[in-house]
Amino acid sequence: MELTKEKLLDMYKTMVRIRTFEMKAAELFAAGKLPGFVHLYAGEEAVATGVCANLTDKDYITSTHRGHGHLIAKGGKIDLMMAELFGRTTGYCKGKGGSMHIADVDLGILGANGIVGAGQPIATGAGFACKYKKTNNVAVCFFGDGASNRGTFHESLNMASIWKLPVIFVAENNMYGISNYQKNHMNVTDIADRAAAYGIPGVTVDGNDVIAVYEAAAEAVARARKGDGPSLIECKTWRHRGHFEGDPQVYKKPEEQEAWLKKDPIPRLEAKLIELKYASQADLDAIKADVQAEVEAAVRFAESSPLPNPDDVFTDVYAD
Amino acid sequence: MELTKEKLLDMYKTMVRIRTFEMKAAELFAAGKLPGFVHLYAGEEAVATGVCANLTDKDYITSTHRGHGHLIAKGGKIDLMMAELFGRTTGYCKGKGGSMHIADVDLGILGANGIVGAGQPIATGAGFACKYKKTNNVAVCFFGDGASNRGTFHESLNMASIWKLPVIFVAENNMYGISNYQKNHMNVTDIADRAAAYGIPGVTVDGNDVIAVYEAAAEAVARARKGDGPSLIECKTWRHRGHFEGDPQVYKKPEEQEAWLKKDPIPRLEAKLIELKYASQADLDAIKADVQAEVEAAVRFAESSPLPNPDDVFTDVYAD
Amino acid sequence: MAQMTYAEAIRDGMRVEMKRDPNVYIYGEDVGIFGGCFGVTAGLYQEFGPERVIDTPISETAIVGSAVGAAAAGLRPIAEVMFVDFMGVCMDELLNQAAKMRYMFGGKARLPMVVRTPCGAGMSAAAQHSQSLEAWFTHIPGLKVVMPGEPADAKGLMIAAIRDDNPVIYIEHKQLLNMAGEVPEGEYVVPLGKADIKREGSDVTIVAWSWMLQKALAAAEELAKEGISAEVLDPRTLVPLDKEAILKSVGKTGRLVIVHEAVRTSGFGGEIAAIVAEEGFDLLDAPIKRVTAPDTPIPFSPVLENAYLPSEEKIIKAVKELF
Amino acid sequence: MAQMTYAEAIRDGMRVEMKRDPNVYIYGEDVGIFGGCFGVTAGLYQEFGPERVIDTPISETAIVGSAVGAAAAGLRPIAEVMFVDFMGVCMDELLNQAAKMRYMFGGKARLPMVVRTPCGAGMSAAAQHSQSLEAWFTHIPGLKVVMPGEPADAKGLMIAAIRDDNPVIYIEHKQLLNMAGEVPEGEYVVPLGKADIKREGSDVTIVAWSWMLQKALAAAEELAKEGISAEVLDPRTLVPLDKEAILKSVGKTGRLVIVHEAVRTSGFGGEIAAIVAEEGFDLLDAPIKRVTAPDTPIPFSPVLENAYLPSEEKIIKAVKELF
Ligand SMILES: Cc1ncc(C[n+]2csc(CCOP(=O)(O)OP(=O)(O)O)c2C)c(N)n1
Ligand SMILES: Cc1ncc(C[n+]2csc(CCOP(=O)(O)OP(=O)(O)O)c2C)c(N)n1
Ligand SMILES: [Mg+2]
Ligand SMILES: [Mg+2]
């Protein structure tokens, strides 16, 4: 897939959609409107967007507790997502899942996940299914730097590598697992270096540069589709907000936060689009306004949707 | 520690003791005298011996389902071991553990283990205790090529490396996990290459050369005692027998087996001892005879020991 | 009808479904050429090839976790975990992924997967290779739990488990693998959730499953000689549980003894006792008895293992205490 | 006596023991500067330093597995697992290592270790962050299982757990963390294995623990207004279980209702019911009731979560059904 003007503008819109969705969620959470935990993806938009721009609806992804961005990038519908955050029947999970469990199996989204690292074997299994059925599809697994220390990482990369499964493992290195700084939780600088332990390619890219992410993913996806097996892509990035909404972030150095805010992936892509003459500032503002309206509509949809019926507790446990 | 004549002869005796113990166990198992599963270490003696020759009684080891060799090399008493294989009250575990659970905590032997890979975090914890208490002791973790694919491997090496724990991870690569050939269960040739994923040293040595093993372990142990953290040592070796006694080994190529039998670590050390003029063939034969007598005595001790009382089932569940 | 062992019956169930549905495949440690640690998959590698009978690395977490992903993506995996004792390694995948995905996603996922695993003591395999952990799985809504006690059920329940669109834990007992019996040929299905009265009786109901079914039947035979008529009921699947059949039998006999090999505390016997103590209290003429293993790890030495295991004698003794 | 919250009481228990014994240390995810996901270890990093209050990687298997090794080598670790829901990740370490080592080694190991973990629903944390899994641990001989239901017990049981030479699973409830109460100062020990009658009564015994103790007490208050005198018994530790106290109370009241937040099937309520149905059958004047969560995963939406949870009303209803 070539990075045409259209594609790049599409990616821009996706990134803006994620950011707008997330900032709205932050606002709603602060206003006491969203129950439960909310983990936001603001600042990391280039990763999900750059990777998913290489995928079709038939490809699979597994996501994390910080899942909104992955879902939106893979085509998830923000009104159904928002309704889920509100715990309404119209939500993706009928209000049963919430932020950490949104899924859209028809779009190949095998769910956000509240268990760190749990998506790794699931994506491996989805990749196995693609290979078994010879569909030419791939599975992408998103996970954090913290999750790179779980046993699931090791077992999954090993399994995918010996069977040459079409899986792309995307480590979103935002430098922290909750409060634990990367250099305190692993003794390597680049998570990509762990690929060698499985005899697969590993690359580190600037995760705030959507084009770099796109290109690295394009290569890994092509490799996977050709039958050459899995890859590991590490994207260095930063979460703008706390681990969850409400986190006072005592563990973050303010100067670090400030430096990273300057590397925000969205203004960066805007500059690029303008430089390439793919869009004027007015075009970009129009996109933002569009997206803002979409998100507001999603909130209205959610807020006007019915709450579940208490008896709904008992349904959906088993398929018959 | 220098490899003096005395030390080398000691190591020879240990290797012979392991081999003799194992062949006796094979014979007893075939005769229907030993209940349960028996996994023998014959062929891999140089690994446990070369490594443990660097340890004191205050250092720790964790062992595996194939544990007899590690136990003997660390100083375990063969009469108590044999009595355990027979399920007698005089056994190391009073007949409660059997081959897969022999331990001698006073000698720092934290147990054989029936769960593949389970020793890895346990050794990490023992290493943690050494560091916490500033004792200058180390913990050695033995495990197989198959166990190198378990999540415990990843989590343990990562944890030991970030905290610079005095742990030596010894991968006994005998090329098979039961019937699964190494190239089918991992996509790297050398397990030692996995050390890079944790920023620690990794070396591969000829696991049938006790001197090579000794030297690699000496370096890793010295490093650990100095406070420089863990290492991974891969020892390439071969099990002479089936996975467990009774295994018909349909999965092994006869020519491979034959080639490896020629690399038997015991005759190899014998040749070396004779070449160095540390011993004559007669000296070596005398050692063998000594050991044979020890093992026969152990069998007599075991066979003449009392069986447990049925009520013993209920004791030793909790410490009070 | 053919004469088959329990192991052959399990294999036949898998074979029937693998022939019928190309999306069914087997994977686990040493299930290929080696035929599985207890020989249950022997010959299937040769019959279905390396693409459908697959040796995995020693990675139970990834085995079960990838089965979840494969099932969500449309396959019907049969994963083998070599001993039920190792389920602790992949418990998160069962607890938080396999069992909950459908519910968490608001009913929009299907996870047709079977995890096969052998349980039980009796071969001096000691504390880490002899356990009976079925109660854990029954405490996880979203899973089904199957424990055949004889060859025909082993086959019929395997086919039902594979065809079920939910994650099923299929627990086979090591001591039963060589037990022979009549087994229907072809697509023989035993529905999940239906108990079977393995022996009719009128004085006491004995509920037992897996290996303990055989011990209970032997005890009932002995008891008959002494004039006590025991009804032996095998639930066959613990989830779904055929509660009605149990209550009906207790309604007939007025007495209940539950036998399981798992340790006593929080074993599934407690659940059955609690159901009857709540919903069948008025049916009872005597206390409810449980015959179980004691609350200890499983010892190695045969003398001790023997003392540890529930036995025909212990069942007979418990039954007699109710009269 | 000082006024403290349940969270402060847990912390105070740990602090007392850390001061007394240099071999006691804390480790887990974000227990340091961050003070733990629920703030329970707040301030301890500052007080005891980075060598005794240690942030780990996200590696529950290695956290609990290394606690086993450290305990075997003479330390007294307090490991934190951030949510009881994650225990599936380290279940093998509890099941096959921590719990069995002493027995397998013929009594020649001591494993003084505590695994602290929060349980429970009520904060819309959904299916993977709200569970109550205590029954699993009670099914593993070799472990002890502690579940305090109020601040003073939280402290006294923590000190007892740390001093115990066996692996102890200490389960604290998220909904109780902010509950305040009188807590004795200094080395206050509540022995493991002793139930406590939290309210005396004569008509019915309600056994409840953890958050459900508070619901049961509220229900008893209401019931009193309606003329039903409920005795509320908190076992406080499920293993060892103070069976005698339960039988004694049922002997007095003749009726038993068990309340737990865990899902019904194979919850620990079944075990208590089974004990009473066997050993206290003649004491009972009515069926044994269980008030529990239903057999479903835990839903997110507050409406649903509310319907899911056992409540004061459900307890009152169950009690009334016995009269
Ligand atoms: C198995 C497991 N352990 C711990 C947690 C608690 N937890 C939730 S998110 C998180 C940090 C994850 O860090 P990382 O993987 O880097 O992802 P990020 O939050 O930075 O996106 C932790 C420890 C969990 N949900 N699951
Ligand atoms: C967690 C776990 N999975 C599977 C097994 C069954 N099992 C016992 S030994 C073994 C093979 C181990 O291979 P390796 O680590 O190479 O050690 P080796 O037997 O070659 O010494 C397996 C699969 C087990 N005991 N524990
Ligand atoms: Mg992170
Ligand atoms: Mg091996």
Side-chain angles (χ1 to χ4, degrees):
Chain A
M1 279 187 260
E2 210 202 326
L3 255 187
T4 58
K5 168 181 165 187
E6 210 186 355
K7 185 101 189 167
L8 214 51
L9 281 169
D10 236 44
M11 284 160 66
Y12 174 70
K13 189 164 186 174
T14 300
M15 288 168 66
V16 171
R17 189 178 286 123
I18 297 172
R19 177 70 54 90
T20 311
F21 186 93
E22 294 299 61
M23 298 319 289
K24 179 56 76 177
E27 180 192 319
L28 292 164
F29 184 87
K33 293 196 176 178
L34 303 185
F37 289 114
V38 176
H39 307 84
L40 301 184
Y41 197 69
E44 313 188 19
E45 293 87 350
V47 181
T49 304
V51 171
C52 292
N54 289 284
L55 306 180
T56 76
D57 283 4
K58 301 264 174 263
D59 294 315
Y60 293 97
I61 67 164
T62 60
S63 171
T64 68
H65 56 288
R66 199 176 301 292
H68 306 165
H70 310 132
L71 295 158
I72 293 173
K74 189 67 169 48
K77 294 171 201 68
I78 63 170
D79 48 351
L80 307 190
M81 288 176 61
M82 193 60 88
E84 191 56 36
L85 298 195
F86 274 86
R88 305 294 164 120
T89 49
T90 53
Y92 257 122
C93 320
K94 307 182 192 162
K96 288 183 178 170
S99 168
M100 274 193 286
H101 306 299
I102 302 180
D104 187 334
V105 178
D106 295 333
L107 286 175
I109 302 171
L110 299 181
N113 210 313
I115 302 298
V116 169
Q120 293 152 352
I122 295 174
T124 303
F128 179 92
C130 297
K131 179 164 180 171
Y132 186 96
K133 293 185 171 181
K134 304 193 171 66
T135 60
N136 212 34
N137 293 121
V138 305
V140 170
C141 177
F142 293 102
F143 57 94
D145 50 299
S148 309
N149 294 325
R150 272 216 51 209
T152 47
F153 171 91
H154 185 61
E155 296 196 2
S156 301
L157 272 79
N158 185 59
M159 187 176 270
S161 93
I162 56 171
W163 294 340
K164 284 193 182 295
L165 302 181
V167 186
I168 298 92
F169 293 94
V170 180
E172 308 186 301
N173 184 355
N174 62 10
M175 326 288 277
Y176 282 95
I178 307 189
S179 71
N180 207 353
Y181 199 50
Q182 187 206 341
K183 81 170 165 45
N184 294 327
H185 71 62
M186 59 173 67
N187 199 18
V188 287
T189 306
D190 294 330
I191 296 170
D193 289 350
R194 292 189 163 174
Y198 315 103
I200 63 171
V203 292
T204 298
V205 300
D206 178 345
N208 281 13
D209 176 356
V210 73
I211 299 173
V213 173
Y214 177 85
E215 285 167 354
E219 196 178 324
V221 169
R223 190 181 146 83
R225 294 207 203 278
K226 263 198 315 206
D228 290 345
S231 310
L232 173 62
I233 303 175
E234 175 190 21
C235 303
K236 308 249 196 209
T237 184
W238 187 256
R239 62 168 148 80
H240 285 185
R241 307 193 57 87
H243 171 66
F244 37 52
E245 288 307 286
D247 170 5
Q249 302 192 70
V250 286
Y251 49 85
K252 263 192 192 171
K253 292 202 206 83
E255 52 289 9
E256 217 182 7
Q257 167 82 350
E258 216 172 296
W260 272 99
L261 287 183
K262 293 205 186 105
K263 300 192 235 172
D264 188 327
I266 293 181
R268 186 155 161 188
L269 178 57
E270 288 179 350
K272 185 82 189 177
L273 287 166
I274 288 170
E275 177 199 318
L276 288 170
K277 300 212 165 38
Y278 282 1
S280 65
Q281 188 59 49
D283 296 337
L284 300 179
D285 290 346
I287 291 174
K288 283 183 178 167
D290 262 18
V291 167
Q292 189 69 43
E294 271 179 39
V295 171
E296 298 296 346
V299 174
R300 280 193 306 275
F301 171 75
E303 290 197 304
S304 64
S305 291
L307 287 169
N309 183 309
D311 280 347
D312 296 346
V313 164
F314 304 103
T315 57
D316 298 321
V317 183
Y318 293 97
D320 20 52
Chain B
M1 280 188 260
E2 211 201 325
L3 254 188
T4 58
K5 168 182 166 187
E6 209 186 357
K7 185 102 190 165
L8 214 51
L9 281 169
D10 236 44
M11 283 160 67
Y12 174 71
K13 188 163 187 177
T14 299
M15 287 169 66
V16 171
R17 189 179 286 123
I18 297 171
R19 177 70 53 91
T20 311
F21 186 92
E22 294 299 62
M23 298 321 288
K24 178 55 76 177
E27 181 193 319
L28 292 163
F29 184 88
K33 293 195 176 179
L34 303 185
F37 289 113
V38 177
H39 307 84
L40 300 184
Y41 198 68
E44 313 188 19
E45 292 87 351
V47 181
T49 305
V51 171
C52 292
N54 289 283
L55 306 180
T56 76
D57 283 3
K58 301 264 173 264
D59 295 315
Y60 293 98
I61 67 164
T62 60
S63 171
T64 68
H65 56 288
R66 199 176 301 293
H68 306 166
H70 310 131
L71 295 157
I72 293 173
K74 189 68 170 49
K77 294 171 200 66
I78 63 170
D79 48 351
L80 308 190
M81 287 175 61
M82 193 60 88
E84 191 57 35
L85 298 194
F86 275 86
R88 305 296 164 121
T89 49
T90 54
Y92 257 123
C93 319
K94 307 181 192 162
K96 288 183 177 171
S99 168
M100 273 193 286
H101 306 298
I102 303 180
D104 188 334
V105 178
D106 295 332
L107 286 176
I109 302 171
L110 299 180
N113 210 314
I115 303 297
V116 168
Q120 293 152 352
I122 296 174
T124 303
F128 179 92
C130 297
K131 180 164 178 168
Y132 187 96
K133 293 185 171 181
K134 305 192 171 67
T135 60
N136 212 33
N137 293 120
V138 305
V140 169
C141 177
F142 292 102
F143 57 94
D145 49 298
S148 309
N149 295 325
R150 272 215 53 209
T152 47
F153 171 90
H154 185 61
E155 296 195 2
S156 300
L157 272 79
N158 185 59
M159 187 176 270
S161 92
I162 56 171
W163 294 339
K164 284 193 183 293
L165 302 182
V167 186
I168 298 92
F169 293 95
V170 179
E172 308 186 299
N173 184 355
N174 62 9
M175 324 289 278
Y176 282 95
I178 306 189
S179 70
N180 207 352
Y181 199 51
Q182 188 206 342
K183 81 170 166 45
N184 294 327
H185 71 62
M186 58 173 68
N187 199 18
V188 288
T189 306
D190 294 330
I191 297 170
D193 289 350
R194 293 190 162 172
Y198 315 103
I200 63 170
V203 292
T204 297
V205 299
D206 178 345
N208 281 15
D209 176 357
V210 73
I211 298 173
V213 173
Y214 176 85
E215 284 167 355
E219 195 177 324
V221 169
R223 191 181 145 82
R225 294 206 203 279
K226 263 197 315 204
D228 289 345
S231 311
L232 173 61
I233 302 176
E234 175 190 21
C235 303
K236 307 248 195 209
T237 184
W238 187 257
R239 60 167 150 80
H240 284 185
R241 306 193 57 87
H243 172 65
F244 37 52
E245 288 307 286
D247 170 6
Q249 303 193 69
V250 287
Y251 51 84
K252 263 193 193 171
K253 292 202 206 83
E255 55 286 10
E256 218 181 7
Q257 168 81 354
E258 216 172 297
W260 272 98
L261 287 183
K262 292 205 186 105
K263 300 191 236 173
D264 188 326
I266 293 180
R268 188 155 159 186
L269 179 56
E270 288 179 351
K272 185 83 190 176
L273 286 167
I274 287 169
E275 177 199 317
L276 288 170
K277 301 214 165 34
Y278 283 1
S280 65
Q281 188 60 50
D283 296 337
L284 300 179
D285 290 346
I287 291 174
K288 283 184 178 167
D290 262 18
V291 167
Q292 189 69 42
E294 270 179 39
V295 170
E296 298 296 347
V299 174
R300 281 194 305 276
F301 170 76
E303 290 197 305
S304 65
S305 291
L307 287 169
N309 182 309
D311 280 346
D312 296 346
V313 164
F314 304 103
T315 56
D316 298 320
V317 182
Y318 293 97
D320 19 54
Chain C
M1 289 273 214
Q3 186 77 9
M4 274 185 206
T5 66
Y6 181 95
E8 286 163 349
I10 297 169
R11 188 186 310 137
D12 199 44
M14 294 193 283
R15 183 191 287 118
V16 165
E17 288 306 289
M18 287 180 79
K19 281 194 174 153
R20 214 176 60 93
D21 183 348
N23 284 333
V24 178
Y25 68 101
I26 291 174
Y27 70 150
E29 292 157 18
D30 307 286
V31 295
I33 288 276
F34 197 70
C37 186
F38 296 102
V40 177
T41 56
L44 296 179
Y45 176 88
Q46 289 77 0
E47 186 170 349
F48 294 99
E51 285 178 14
R52 295 184 67 195
V53 182
I54 306 164
D55 281 335
T56 62
I58 306 177
S59 302
E60 286 80 7
T61 314
I63 294 170
V64 174
S66 66
V68 172
L75 299 184
R76 303 188 88 86
I78 306 174
E80 176 175 322
V81 171
M82 199 184 277
F83 287 76
V84 76
D85 309 72
F86 310 159
M87 285 288 203
V89 176
C90 48
M91 212 53 198
D92 184 64
E93 280 57 41
L94 293 173
L95 173 72
N96 285 320
Q97 311 302 329
K100 295 185 172 45
M101 215 182 231
R102 181 176 178 80
Y103 191 84
M104 293 188 304
F105 295 0
K108 285 168 211 133
R110 250 165 222 280
L111 289 174
M113 56 183 273
V114 177
V115 181
R116 268 186 57 228
T117 190
C119 75
M123 55 190 294
S124 290
Q128 295 173 339
H129 288 77
S130 307
Q131 295 169 84
S132 292
L133 296 173
E134 62 269 19
W136 278 7
F137 310 115
T138 64
H139 197 47
I140 308 178
L143 300 184
K144 296 190 175 180
V145 183
V146 174
M147 292 190 79
E150 44 127 271
D153 285 346
K155 173 169 173 177
L157 292 168
M158 176 51 80
I159 294 183
I162 296 171
R163 292 187 184 180
D164 200 280
D165 274 344
N166 298 286
V168 178
I169 312 298
Y170 181 101
I171 306 177
E172 48 205 55
H173 200 292
K174 301 196 271 293
Q175 296 297 326
L176 294 174
L177 293 171
N178 291 324
M179 177 191 174
E182 293 288 305
V183 177
E185 273 156 87
E187 299 191 19
Y188 173 65
V189 180
V190 172
L192 307 185
K194 269 203 74 60
D196 195 30
I197 304 284
K198 297 293 183 187
R199 178 189 175 110
E200 304 233 8
S202 55
D203 298 332
V204 58
T205 299
I206 305 179
V207 175
W209 55 91
S210 195
W211 190 27
M212 292 302 123
L213 168 64
Q214 299 307 326
K215 303 249 178 190
L217 287 170
E221 194 67 33
E222 271 315 302
L223 286 164
K225 294 185 193 147
E226 307 189 33
I228 297 177
S229 164
E231 175 143 309
V232 179
L233 182 149
D234 180 358
R236 302 197 288 197
T237 65
L238 305 186
V239 177
L241 179 69
D242 191 349
K243 182 165 95 166
E244 287 67 34
I246 296 171
L247 289 168
K248 194 172 151 206
S249 176
V250 175
K252 185 163 88 172
T253 62
R255 288 179 179 81
L256 175 60
V257 173
I258 305 154
V259 188
H260 62 64
E261 185 178 331
V263 300
R264 168 166 295 232
T265 295
S266 296
F268 194 70
E271 179 59 29
I272 295 176
I275 289 171
V276 176
E278 176 157 1
E279 300 178 41
F281 186 71
D282 296 333
L283 309 173
L284 287 168
D285 298 327
I288 300 170
K289 286 261 174 193
R290 288 182 289 168
V291 181
T292 69
D295 287 322
T296 77
I298 299 157
F300 162 71
S301 193
V303 194
L304 296 174
E305 192 182 33
N306 222 36
Y308 171 90
L309 278 168
S311 62
E312 200 180 310
E313 296 70 41
K314 290 175 193 170
I315 299 169
I316 292 171
K317 181 165 172 288
V319 168
K320 287 191 183 163
E321 281 167 9
L322 296 184
F323 290 90
Chain D
M1 289 273 216
Q3 185 77 10
M4 275 186 205
T5 66
Y6 181 95
E8 286 164 350
I10 297 169
R11 188 186 310 138
D12 199 43
M14 295 193 283
R15 185 191 286 117
V16 165
E17 288 306 289
M18 287 180 80
K19 281 194 173 153
R20 213 176 61 92
D21 183 348
N23 285 332
V24 178
Y25 68 100
I26 291 175
Y27 70 151
E29 293 157 19
D30 307 287
V31 295
I33 288 276
F34 197 70
C37 186
F38 295 102
V40 176
T41 55
L44 296 179
Y45 176 88
Q46 289 77 1
E47 187 171 349
F48 294 99
E51 285 178 16
R52 295 185 67 195
V53 182
I54 306 163
D55 282 334
T56 63
I58 306 177
S59 302
E60 286 80 6
T61 314
I63 294 170
V64 174
S66 66
V68 172
L75 299 184
R76 302 188 89 86
I78 306 175
E80 176 175 322
V81 171
M82 200 184 277
F83 286 77
V84 77
D85 310 72
F86 310 158
M87 284 288 203
V89 176
C90 48
M91 212 53 198
D92 184 65
E93 281 56 41
L94 293 173
L95 173 73
N96 286 319
Q97 311 302 329
K100 295 185 171 45
M101 216 183 231
R102 181 175 178 80
Y103 192 84
M104 294 188 304
F105 296 181
K108 285 169 212 135
R110 249 164 223 280
L111 290 174
M113 56 183 275
V114 177
V115 181
R116 268 186 57 228
T117 190
C119 75
M123 55 190 294
S124 290
Q128 295 174 339
H129 288 77
S130 306
Q131 295 169 84
S132 292
L133 296 173
E134 62 270 19
W136 278 6
F137 309 115
T138 64
H139 197 46
I140 307 178
L143 300 183
K144 297 190 175 180
V145 183
V146 173
M147 291 190 81
E150 44 124 274
D153 286 346
K155 174 171 172 177
L157 292 168
M158 176 51 81
I159 294 183
I162 296 171
R163 292 186 184 180
D164 201 279
D165 273 344
N166 298 286
V168 178
I169 312 298
Y170 181 101
I171 307 177
E172 48 205 54
H173 201 292
K174 301 197 270 292
Q175 296 298 325
L176 294 174
L177 292 171
N178 291 323
M179 177 191 175
E182 292 288 305
V183 177
E185 274 156 84
E187 300 191 18
Y188 173 64
V189 181
V190 172
L192 308 186
K194 269 203 73 59
D196 194 31
I197 305 284
K198 297 294 185 187
R199 179 189 175 111
E200 305 233 8
S202 53
D203 298 332
V204 59
T205 300
I206 305 179
V207 174
W209 54 92
S210 195
W211 190 25
M212 292 301 123
L213 168 64
Q214 300 307 326
K215 303 247 179 193
L217 287 169
E221 193 67 33
E222 271 315 303
L223 286 163
K225 293 183 195 149
E226 308 190 32
I228 297 177
S229 165
E231 175 143 306
V232 179
L233 182 148
D234 180 358
R236 301 196 290 196
T237 65
L238 305 186
V239 178
L241 179 69
D242 191 349
K243 183 166 94 164
E244 288 67 34
I246 296 171
L247 289 168
K248 193 171 153 210
S249 176
V250 175
K252 184 163 88 170
T253 64
R255 289 180 179 81
L256 175 60
V257 173
I258 305 154
V259 187
H260 63 65
E261 186 178 331
V263 300
R264 168 167 294 233
T265 296
S266 296
F268 195 71
E271 179 59 29
I272 294 177
I275 289 171
V276 176
E278 176 157 2
E279 300 178 42
F281 186 71
D282 296 334
L283 309 173
L284 288 167
D285 297 327
I288 300 171
K289 286 261 173 192
R290 288 182 290 168
V291 180
T292 69
D295 287 322
T296 76
I298 299 158
F300 162 70
S301 193
V303 195
L304 297 173
E305 192 182 32
N306 221 36
Y308 171 91
L309 279 168
S311 63
E312 198 180 311
E313 295 70 41
K314 291 176 192 168
I315 299 169
I316 292 171
K317 182 165 172 286
V319 168
K320 287 191 183 164
E321 282 167 8
L322 296 183
F323 291 90

